[in-house]
Amino acid sequence: MALDKNGIAQRIAQELRDGWYVNLGIGIPTLVANYIPEGIDIEFQSENGILGMGPFPWEGDEDADLINAGKQTITALHGASYFDSATSFGMIRAKKVQLTVLGAMEVSETGDIANWKIPGKMVKGMGGAMDLVASAENIIVAMQHTNRAGESKVLPACTLPLTGVGCVKKIVTDLAVLDVDPERGFVLLERAPGVTVEEIIAKTAGRLVVEGEIPEMVLG
Amino acid sequence: MIRKVVPNAQAAVEDIQDGMTLMFGGFGLCGIPENSIAAVRAKGVKDLTCISNNAGVDGFGLGLLLETRQIKKMISSYVGENDEFERQMLSGELEVELIPQGTLAERCRAAGAGIPAFYTPAGFGTEVAEGKEVRHFHGKPHILEHAFDAQFAFVKAWKGDEAGNLVFKGTARNFNPMMAMAGRITVAEVEELVPAGSLDPNHIHVPGIFVHRIYQGAHFEKRIEQRTVRPRV
């Protein structure tokens, strides 16, 4: 069975490593914070200017001066710090943030990503996405394998305006975990519980490398 | 000490004219200069170019200046959540330039740091890079971006003193410090204006040299855009 949003977040959380600073985008990526493996220390960065972001505040404790990049009220954990937007993107461009997780509308087999604009529709803007994808060394995309029309979002080349080129390293979808190898294309690493390799092949428009037995994801 | 205090928002915006380029600090509705926005609206200046990460919401923040059609062009990184903005953009009344958030921040910082232009990897290979000079450093492509030039910058701080020194609270800092540095004339509104000497010089976020006018805001609504909480059990 395909994973739900929480399942995708839970699988991505397994990629977290002790001591990492991590930036989570809006949507499914935000849910990753709910599944940090036990025994590891992670600090979340939000690009509007906080390191050490904590969970939502208790009802009544919300503070208009303390939000995340999704404009949601949040809390600050012990050891947190606040800083301005130039410093925030400075740490992003200088690769101090070890992992960026973000959503996408399309990913290409060479790691291009499109996630900010659909021609003909109201464009809201790229926010910090272009800065993040241009600089982060480790980018994991969290998304559905296909769009609402059932068309693959895992493509030979993006059809929508790009957010960044050759930057995505890994994709976790409702169906599979894929590595992005710029030489070979999408490499199938794992499949969601009960999902067949045939289904993943059928729903992947880009080049897909399937080597040997593909294990099922193990979710805690 | 050089005193920067003006009596109120109205006095702080008295020489703003039609067609000027203005910066507004804030991220979403967090840390926006509410009192200066209201004063710019009351003054009725038109054809403004506004540089701000976001464009407010209907009826609040820069949404107030959109309502009165005072903005000709908006330079931002993200402009969702605003029906009037969308209407004016789609009808062609409002010109919009969208730029990556980190580039927006750095173009402000550069302006305040005497750096005319800089190279950044953000936006390479996208429509943001169209027509811009590309140069490779360490084998990686970067695009040339220029410092902003704004006649006025409006910022909001938590505390400030008579010398214009500013201290921010929480994530309400965001774009305010770089915009304070960038403005040819910087107007700071603060929740609490204190006598010089009351703030520890070790804890100043923006030195008063960057601030030309400071006043205590008459009213701060500090609206929350997305109230997310954990229910108490």
Side-chain angles (χ1 to χ4, degrees):
Chain A
M1 205 182 80
L3 299 178
D4 63 9
K5 289 177 178 184
N6 284 300
I8 295 173
Q10 204 176 346
R11 177 59 191 83
I12 290 174
Q14 294 174 6
E15 304 292 317
L16 300 174
R17 296 292 175 266
D18 190 43
W20 276 6
Y21 294 99
V22 177
N23 181 292
L24 301 178
I26 295 163
I28 301 174
T30 306
L31 302 171
V32 172
N34 298 334
Y35 300 100
I36 306 169
E38 283 205 23
I40 70 166
D41 291 317
I42 294 288
E43 270 194 38
F44 290 110
Q45 195 252 19
S46 198
E47 64 269 23
N48 59 315
I50 177 172
L51 266 168
M53 175 172 53
F56 295 152
W58 295 111
E59 207 170 349
D61 287 348
E62 58 272 27
D63 178 354
D65 291 329
L66 189 44
I67 64 168
N68 63 17
K71 289 136 192 169
Q72 298 170 310
T73 46
I74 51 156
T75 52
L77 299 175
H78 289 173
S81 58
Y82 304 120
F83 36 84
D84 65 60
S85 303
T87 304
S88 183
F89 283 94
M91 60 185 77
I92 288 165
R93 281 193 303 268
K95 308 186 196 306
K96 308 292 180 185
V97 176
Q98 277 82 12
L99 174 65
T100 292
V101 183
L102 75 177
M105 298 168 186
E106 295 177 345
V107 178
S108 83
E109 61 190 31
T110 53
D112 296 351
I113 178 172
N115 74 351
W116 76 285
K117 184 175 184 178
I118 301 174
K121 289 204 177 175
M122 167 67 187
V123 180
K124 293 186 171 184
M126 67 291 281
M130 284 192 184
D131 309 270
L132 281 159
V133 301
S135 294
E137 291 194 305
N138 193 5
I139 297 175
I140 300 180
V141 163
M143 67 176 192
Q144 306 298 325
H145 212 93
T146 55
N147 63 22
R148 282 186 195 133
E151 298 157 344
S152 183
K153 295 168 69 173
V154 190
L155 304 171
C158 293
T159 63
L160 296 169
L162 294 178
T163 308
V165 292
C167 51
V168 177
K169 300 289 185 287
K170 188 170 267 184
I171 308 170
V172 178
T173 73
D174 52 333
L175 304 181
V177 180
L178 307 166
D179 251 353
V180 182
D181 180 334
E183 305 288 313
R184 301 194 295 161
F186 301 109
V187 180
L188 181 57
L189 299 182
E190 296 174 24
R191 55 200 169 80
V195 170
T196 63
V197 170
E198 288 68 31
E199 180 179 357
I200 296 165
I201 292 172
K203 290 181 174 171
T204 304
R207 267 190 303 167
L208 182 69
V209 178
V210 182
E211 289 168 332
E213 194 75 10
I214 305 300
E216 233 177 49
M217 294 179 203
V218 179
L219 300 172
Chain B
M1 185 192 71
I2 303 170
R3 284 180 58 87
K4 304 292 175 68
V5 180
V6 294
N8 52 36
Q10 196 188 344
V13 306
E14 65 180 7
D15 46 355
I16 293 179
Q17 289 157 24
D18 291 353
M20 281 188 166
T21 297
L22 312 178
M23 284 179 172
F24 292 89
F27 187 100
L29 302 178
C30 181
I32 58 171
E34 302 181 26
N35 292 276
S36 292
I37 291 171
V40 170
R41 175 171 159 132
K43 187 157 174 61
V45 282
K46 299 226 181 294
D47 297 326
L48 302 172
T49 294
C50 294
I51 302 169
S52 172
N53 187 54
N54 313 94
V57 297
D58 288 304
F60 196 59
L62 289 180
L64 291 170
L65 301 186
L66 287 164
E67 222 170 65
T68 47
R69 317 264 164 88
Q70 287 171 270
I71 303 177
K72 180 187 68 179
K73 181 178 181 182
M74 201 64 230
I75 300 176
S76 302
S77 86
Y78 190 84
V79 293
E81 293 46 277
N82 192 326
D83 292 340
E84 179 60 18
F85 184 99
E86 185 168 345
R87 193 195 65 68
Q88 290 184 24
M89 180 173 164
L90 294 176
S91 70
E93 290 165 63
L94 179 69
E95 195 183 334
V96 178
E97 186 180 342
L98 293 168
I99 59 182
Q101 197 172 117
T103 300
L104 181 73
E106 197 63 14
R107 289 178 68 183
C108 295
R109 199 196 71 82
I115 305 284
F118 58 92
Y119 289 95
T120 176
F124 174 78
T126 75
E127 61 187 61
V128 163
E130 283 168 16
K132 290 176 185 163
E133 185 186 323
V134 174
R135 202 169 148 186
H136 285 70
F137 297 94
H138 307 297
K140 201 179 155 173
H142 293 72
I143 59 178
L144 185 68
E145 296 280 4
H146 292 81
F148 283 123
D149 183 14
Q151 277 109 336
F152 280 85
F154 295 100
V155 303
K156 185 262 166 179
W158 178 39
K159 291 181 180 179
D161 69 15
E162 297 162 301
N165 296 305
L166 304 178
V167 176
F168 302 92
K169 181 169 158 273
T171 56
R173 191 181 317 186
N174 56 63
F175 282 85
N176 285 297
M178 298 91 62
M179 288 187 173
M181 291 168 66
R184 286 201 216 167
I185 296 175
T186 290
V187 174
E189 62 181 81
V190 295
E191 289 181 51
E192 196 182 340
L193 183 61
V194 300
S198 327
L199 298 175
D200 184 340
N202 287 300
H203 296 164
I204 301 296
H205 293 133
V206 171
I209 191 169
F210 293 118
V211 175
H212 304 85
R213 301 170 190 174
I214 188 168
Y215 67 92
Q216 184 167 311
H219 173 71
F220 287 97
E221 181 178 334
K222 296 177 71 167
R223 200 183 286 188
I224 291 175
E225 206 164 335
Q226 305 275 347
R227 187 179 300 273
T228 45
V229 295
R230 284 177 287 168
R232 290 181 192 273
V233 280

